[in-house]
Amino acid sequence: MLNSLDWLVIVFMGLAALTLLSLCLMFLLKNKKGKRVCLYIVAVLGAYVSTIGLRIGFVGGFTGQIAVGVVTLIVSVGAAVLELVSRQDERKEKLARILAAVGLIVGFVNALLI
C-alpha cells in the first residue's frame, strides 16, 4: 500500500525524469520540428512547476518563493511566445530555448527542492 509520501516521491522522480529528458532532447535533436516540440514541452513543464511553487508559497506565506514562481512563470511563457514570434531567426530561437530551460530549472528548484 502506498501512502501520500510515497506518491510524492514517485511524482517527484517522474517530473525529474521528464525534465531531464525534455531538456536533453531540446538541445541535442537535429530536427527543427522536434526541437520546437521539446521547447513547448519544456515551456509547459516550466509553467506547471512554477505554479506548484506559487501554490506552496501562498500556503506557507513565503514571499521570496512567490516572487521566484512568478518570474519563472513569466520566463516560461515568454520563451514560448518568443519562439512563436521568431520563426526564421535562429538566434531568437536559441534564446527561447535557453530561456525555457532556465525557467524550468529554476522553477523546479524553487518548487520541489527548497
Side-chain angles (χ1 to χ4, degrees):
M1 219 47 208
L2 296 175
N3 59 15
S4 297
L5 189 58
D6 294 336
W7 284 109
L8 181 65
V9 170
I10 291 169
V11 168
F12 171 76
M13 296 303 287
L15 275 174
L18 189 60
T19 297
L20 284 175
L21 179 68
S22 60
L23 283 174
C24 289
L25 287 177
M26 183 174 66
F27 288 109
L28 294 177
L29 284 177
K30 300 289 183 190
N31 187 3
K32 278 192 158 265
K33 194 173 196 175
K35 281 185 179 185
R36 189 174 301 134
V37 168
C38 286
L39 173 73
Y40 293 141
I41 291 171
V42 168
V44 167
L45 276 174
Y48 176 68
V49 172
S50 297
T51 56
I52 291 173
L54 284 173
R55 288 183 198 166
I56 292 171
F58 283 134
V59 170
F62 305 115
T63 55
Q65 192 169 5
I66 293 170
V68 172
V70 168
V71 169
T72 55
L73 182 63
I74 291 170
V75 167
S76 296
V77 172
V81 170
L82 180 64
E83 200 279 329
L84 282 173
V85 170
S86 64
R87 287 284 188 183
Q88 300 299 326
D89 193 4
E90 185 65 34
R91 289 176 44 193
K92 288 183 182 177
E93 289 177 1
K94 184 177 271 190
L95 178 65
R97 288 194 301 268
I98 291 170
L99 284 174
V102 167
L104 177 59
I105 292 169
V106 172
F108 191 83
V109 169
N110 182 41
L112 302 173
L113 296 180
I114 293 180

